[in-house]
């Protein structure tokens, strides 16, 4: 069966510091992978998606970047965090043929 | 572009009450439709889905019917429990072959009181 992991679970970072969030998937090959952000009290916004190693599509201009160095690894990064980067970050993979399955999320607070 | 509109919350009900959370969508073609549930501090879990018009998705006592004529996918449950307290998201999946991303509504918080 497929599982999806995210870490860290929570993170508190100062403004201007770098960021690296990791997502890994087990039990599936060449999945579509997604990063979403959920701001407090709001819905989910798609940030990035990837259809394969090294293939990243950005949905909105922002202070973040994504990379996919391995088939089942998806990383969200920033060189310098902004206050507005605070939120709940969710990684997901696409299952059959339209479903998406989400990881447990990372709660990021930028102070 | 695609969009999903949900009724604003919070929705507060007493245990065993009937639940309806309205969801309407705008999309080109015939998307797949989903309800996800988010319990406090957790990620999203797929609750139910429907892939074509008139399909009814159901799970854990929750139901939703894909209504093409009204572009709706309302979530219902006949008798809610305290454990159903969570945020519920309606979503659609676009048909773009490569992207297949989900477009979410803003979420509806449900609070069930004993």
């Amino acid at each position: 069966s497929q599982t999806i992991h995210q870490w860290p679970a929570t993170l508190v970072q100062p403004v201007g510091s770098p960021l690296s969030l990791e997502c890994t998937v087990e039990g599936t090959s060449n999945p579509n992978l997604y990063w979403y952000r959920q701001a407090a009290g709001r819905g989910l916004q798609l940030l990035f998606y990837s259809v394969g190693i090294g293939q990243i599509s950005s949905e909105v201009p922002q202070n973040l970047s994504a990379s996919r160095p391995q088939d089942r690894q998806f990383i969200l990064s920033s060189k310098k965090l902004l206050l507005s980067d605070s939120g709940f970050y969710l990684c997901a993979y696409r299952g059959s043929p339209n479903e998406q399955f989400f990881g447990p999320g990372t709660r990021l607070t930028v102070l | 572009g695609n969009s999903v509109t949900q009724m604003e919350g919070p929705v507060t009900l007493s245990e065993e009450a009937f639940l309806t959370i309205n969801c309407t969508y705008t999309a080109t073609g015939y998307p797949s439709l989903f309800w996800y549930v988010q319990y406090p501090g957790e990620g999203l879990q797929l609750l139910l889905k429907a892939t074509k018009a008139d399909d009814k998705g159901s799970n854990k006592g929750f139901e939703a019917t894909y209504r093409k004529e009204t572009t709706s996918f309302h979530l219902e449950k006949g008798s809610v429990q305290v454990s159903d307290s969570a945020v519920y998201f309606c979503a659609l999946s676009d048909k773009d072959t490569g992207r297949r991303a989900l477009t979410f509504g803003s979420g509806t918080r449900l609070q069930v009181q004993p």
Side-chain angles (χ1 to χ4, degrees), chain A residues 35 37 45-48 57-65:
Chain A
W35 278 111
R37 177 170 58 202
Q45 179 185 38
L46 178 66
L47 301 176
F48 301 95
S57 296
S58 175
E59 287 292 303
V60 293
Q62 59 204 312
N63 184 44
L64 302 169
S65 62

Side-chain angles (χ1 to χ4, degrees), chain A residues 1-109:
Chain A
S1 64
Q2 299 94 344
T3 56
I4 180 168
H5 305 279
Q6 286 186 245
W7 63 89
T10 60
L11 193 59
V12 181
Q13 292 285 98
V15 169
S17 63
L19 174 74
S20 181
L21 304 181
E22 189 165 343
C23 170
T24 59
V25 182
E26 296 177 358
T28 184
S29 296
N30 197 31
N32 277 24
L33 297 174
Y34 306 83
W35 278 111
Y36 292 86
R37 177 170 58 202
Q38 183 180 24
R42 304 175 78 174
L44 279 77
Q45 179 185 38
L46 178 66
L47 301 176
F48 301 95
Y49 73 94
S50 171
V51 300
I53 296 173
Q55 300 178 65
I56 308 295
S57 296
S58 175
E59 287 292 303
V60 293
Q62 59 204 312
N63 184 44
L64 302 169
S65 62
S67 62
R68 187 167 176 178
Q70 301 179 37
D71 181 42
R72 288 172 284 183
Q73 184 184 32
F74 203 23
I75 297 172
L76 184 70
S77 304
S78 174
K79 292 182 179 178
K80 289 186 177 181
L81 284 169
L82 307 173
L83 287 174
S84 57
D85 292 324
S86 293
F88 193 46
Y89 288 82
L90 289 159
C91 181
Y93 71 91
R94 181 162 71 88
S96 62
N98 298 303
E99 298 173 12
Q100 289 190 18
F101 298 92
F102 288 81
T106 295
R107 185 162 304 283
L108 171 65
T109 304

Side-chain angles (χ1 to χ4, degrees), chain B residues 37-40 82-88 108-111:
Chain B
V37 59
Q38 183 179 34
Y39 298 102
V82 172
S83 57
D84 294 327
S85 298
V87 181
Y88 292 82
T108 302
R109 182 175 299 278
L110 170 65
Q111 298 173 337

Side-chain angles (χ1 to χ4, degrees), chain B residues 13-19 60-62 76-84 110 112:
Chain B
L13 297 173
S14 298
E15 205 164 23
E16 299 183 1
F18 185 86
L19 169 71
K60 300 181 181 179
F62 290 90
E76 297 181 336
K77 186 175 185 183
S79 176
V80 294
Q81 306 299 313
V82 172
S83 57
D84 294 327
L110 170 65
V112 181

Side-chain angles (χ1 to χ4, degrees), chain B residues 61-103:
Chain B
F62 290 90
E63 293 183 339
T65 301
Y66 190 142
R67 301 288 188 198
K68 185 180 68 173
E69 63 276 10
T70 55
T71 62
S72 64
F73 193 54
H74 305 321
L75 182 68
E76 297 181 336
K77 186 175 185 183
S79 176
V80 294
Q81 306 299 313
V82 172
S83 57
D84 294 327
S85 298
V87 181
Y88 292 82
F89 291 93
C90 185
L92 65 83
S93 174
D94 65 45
K95 297 290 191 179
D96 174 84
T97 302
R99 187 173 176 267
R100 298 271 190 180
L102 295 179
T103 299

